[in-house]
Amino acid sequence: MPHCVITGGAGFIGSNLADSCLSKSNDVTILDDFSRPGSEPNLAWLESRHKSRLKVVRADIRDGDGALMEAAASADILFHLAGQVAVTTSVMDPRHDFQVNALGTFNVLEAARQALSKPVVVYSSTNKVYGKMADLGVVERNGRYAYETNSCGIAEDRPLDPYSPYGCSKCAGDQYVLDYARIYGMKTIVFRQSCIYGPRQFGMEDQGWLAWFAIRALQRKAVTIYGDGKQVRDVLYVEDLIAAYAAAVERIEITAGRAYNIGGGPGNTLSLNELVEMLNLSFKGKLACSFEDWRPGDQPVFVSNLDKAKADFGWSPRIGVEEGLSRLIGWIKDNEALFGSIQPADCTSGRGGR
């Protein structure tokens, strides 16, 4: 069975991915610096289920030395999920953002390049590499924003135009991952991800908005909406993302050196205001909302075009918004005690991963 190495393996996506790999009898090494709130509970959950085949390396991807090189040396698949994950944090501290996302990704690639096992490298990028896309007409329809003429979503041939230090640092990593396939013949895949959500997500005000709003609704605490709440994203349940990873790796002869936009697609979109309405019904209360100005780099609407992923590795989302949100809310209700120490001030995200 393949040995899977996951940077950011104690984060939201990383812990779900590790659980999936371990459940298939794969050996898994997670490398994480455990700086993000929620990473320690996620590790405890993984160890309670899979301790015998789980190896844990506490390290920082900014340090491209022994720990990272050793972890990658025997990897068959290296999932690079660790990163600084928030636009607002990148604006406040762009040097830190660059060191984690750009330099950290370079370090991971070098570790994989020098590994005798020649692993497949899967990189978790972001839709923020496309920037604001100001040339696309945006209109308001039925109380939500939409593209004026584009009904299929943003495809991979869209020019990259990152806006914010976060967009730039992730774009740098994105392009390095693709170029290492061209220059060194490595088997690398880039996933430009939209809004991913699901269990094990300790959402923060500046990242992980579905979970953040749901946690605040559970706690009967207010949220701040930046903008007018009409902004729209395509949202993807984490189980579907992990299925996309697996399908793309299985078709590596096609997917190597390629980038894919991965999200819920046109069939799974949600505005902030619509989420608030759904939470009000689920928690039988009214979530208190205040409104502030738009933040740097905010997009009024982003929807992924999924045609390339479907054509290349036969993937499309299976879990709809209502079902996925119901599962997330159920997990949050069942784990209320985990969220007592997480406050808005904890929003600075570290190298722990997504």
Side-chain angles (χ1 to χ4, degrees), residues 38 48-49 65 68 80 97 105 113 119 161 167 191 203 211 249 261 280 327 336 340 348:
S48 72
R49 291 168 56 82
D65 54 10
L68 177 58
H80 178 34
D97 176 81
T105 298
R113 184 173 71 88
D161 186 23
F191 282 79
V249 170
N261 291 349
N280 288 344
R327 292 189 190 185
E336 182 174 2
T348 52

Side-chain angles (χ1 to χ4, degrees), residues 4-338:
C4 301
V5 174
I6 307 171
T7 70
F12 155 51
I13 296 174
S15 60
N16 279 280
L17 176 61
D19 181 61
S20 176
C21 293
L22 288 160
S23 296
K24 297 174 182 176
S25 298
N26 297 328
D27 290 326
V28 171
T29 297
I30 64 172
L31 185 147
D32 204 301
D33 78 341
F34 293 87
S35 61
R36 184 176 173 93
S39 56
E40 294 289 357
N42 284 345
L43 174 61
W45 173 72
L46 283 172
E47 289 185 330
S48 72
R49 291 168 56 82
H50 307 287
K51 189 172 179 63
S52 61
R53 291 194 316 281
L54 175 66
K55 180 179 179 181
V56 180
V57 178
R58 292 178 179 263
D60 191 321
I61 59 171
R62 294 178 298 177
D63 302 325
D65 54 10
L68 177 58
M69 298 290 286
E70 183 178 348
S74 60
D76 297 300
I77 310 170
L78 198 166
F79 297 94
H80 178 34
L81 311 183
Q84 193 296 111
V85 295
V87 172
T88 49
T89 302
S90 78
V91 173
M92 291 185 294
D93 193 349
R95 180 178 296 276
H96 168 79
D97 176 81
F98 172 83
Q99 291 172 337
V100 175
N101 290 345
L103 177 60
T105 298
F106 173 79
N107 288 338
V108 170
L109 284 169
E110 279 294 281
R113 184 173 71 88
Q114 296 177 50
L116 295 179
S117 57
K118 304 302 179 187
V120 173
V121 178
V122 178
Y123 176 56
S124 175
S125 186
T126 172
N127 60 26
K128 292 296 189 290
V129 299
Y130 296 113
K132 285 194 170 185
M133 301 178 295
D135 60 304
L136 291 180
V138 174
V139 297
E140 182 183 335
R141 297 193 186 109
N142 302 317
R144 65 193 334 242
Y145 293 125
Y147 300 123
E148 186 172 12
T149 58
N150 182 329
S151 62
C152 298
I154 303 302
E156 293 82 358
D157 59 0
R158 173 79 192 180
L160 304 186
D161 186 23
Y163 189 106
S164 77
Y166 171 74
C168 290
S169 66
K170 292 298 289 185
C171 189
D174 181 310
Q175 294 299 284
Y176 261 94
V177 171
L178 295 179
D179 196 57
Y180 266 52
R182 289 190 293 255
I183 297 299
Y184 300 111
M186 290 173 58
K187 295 171 286 188
T188 68
I189 314 170
V190 168
F191 282 79
R192 293 172 183 157
Q193 294 166 191
S194 195
C195 295
I196 314 301
Y197 70 101
R200 316 303 320 170
Q201 186 173 30
F202 292 79
M204 301 294 180
E205 186 178 45
D206 59 355
Q207 196 271 335
W209 58 281
L210 277 89
W212 172 249
F213 276 44
I215 292 167
R216 300 295 279 183
L218 172 73
Q219 297 173 332
R220 297 290 193 263
K221 295 181 179 179
V223 297
T224 301
I225 293 176
Y226 296 91
D228 53 20
K230 299 175 184 178
Q231 53 265 54
V232 166
R233 297 290 183 271
D234 63 321
V235 298
L236 182 67
Y237 192 70
V238 67
E239 183 179 308
D240 278 331
L241 174 66
I242 291 169
Y245 286 168
V249 170
E250 287 176 4
R251 301 296 301 276
I252 191 63
E253 73 281 358
I254 293 173
T255 58
R258 296 187 179 182
Y260 297 93
N261 291 349
I262 298 292
N268 294 286
T269 63
L270 191 65
S271 76
L272 269 67
N273 290 335
E274 290 164 353
L275 173 61
V276 170
E277 291 177 5
M278 295 171 74
L279 293 174
N280 288 344
L281 289 174
S282 294
F283 289 98
K284 297 180 172 58
K286 186 173 178 59
L287 180 61
C289 302
S290 61
F291 292 83
E292 299 287 347
D293 290 339
W294 293 79
R295 296 178 296 189
D298 280 347
Q299 302 155 316
V301 56
F302 188 94
V303 179
S304 306
N305 183 311
L306 307 179
D307 290 350
K308 186 177 178 182
K310 186 173 183 180
D312 282 7
F313 51 93
W315 175 87
S316 58
R318 296 179 179 272
I319 299 170
V321 175
E322 290 190 6
E323 180 184 350
L325 187 59
S326 176
R327 292 189 190 185
L328 171 62
I329 290 171
W331 177 77
I332 287 172
K333 287 180 176 178
D334 290 343
N335 292 274
E336 182 174 2
L338 293 178

